Amino acid sequence: MKRDKMKIEVIAFGIAKDILNGNQVTLEMKEQSSVADVRQALVDLYPAFQGLASLQLAVNADYVNDDYLIKENDEVVLIPPVSGG
């Protein structure tokens, strides 16, 4: 039987960790979901992500574009904007 859902682990740092109220969350996504789909799922669940314009996502330790397709058991890391000076 073919599954049409998959679970992915999302790990957060900095302000993203504060938004999640923890350092990780498991999302159930449709197969063939893209990084953009993950980004939208996070905004839907945690509207505060909408305010992070430069939130970067990495998959399995590599920065990826929004059209990158996520696979089951991929590790998605949220890298929030960094300020300093």
Side-chain angles (χ1 to χ4, degrees), residues 25-44:
V25 65
T26 301
L27 296 179
E28 186 171 84
M29 303 292 300
K30 289 182 181 179
E31 285 189 349
Q32 300 297 310
S33 288
S34 67
V35 167
D37 296 327
V38 172
R39 188 184 301 271
Q40 185 59 55
L42 287 167
V43 169
D44 291 346

Side-chain angles (χ1 to χ4, degrees), residues 7 47-48 65:
K7 290 186 190 251
N65 294 322

Side-chain angles (χ1 to χ4, degrees), residues 32-73:
Q32 300 297 310
S33 288
S34 67
V35 167
D37 296 327
V38 172
R39 188 184 301 271
Q40 185 59 55
L42 287 167
V43 169
D44 291 346
L45 291 168
Y46 305 94
F49 277 117
Q50 188 71 39
L52 296 182
S54 62
L55 181 69
Q56 294 289 316
L57 279 76
V59 178
N60 301 325
D62 292 321
Y63 285 98
V64 293
N65 294 322
D66 276 357
D67 60 356
Y68 181 89
L69 294 179
I70 303 292
K71 295 178 282 312
E72 178 108 49
N73 299 318

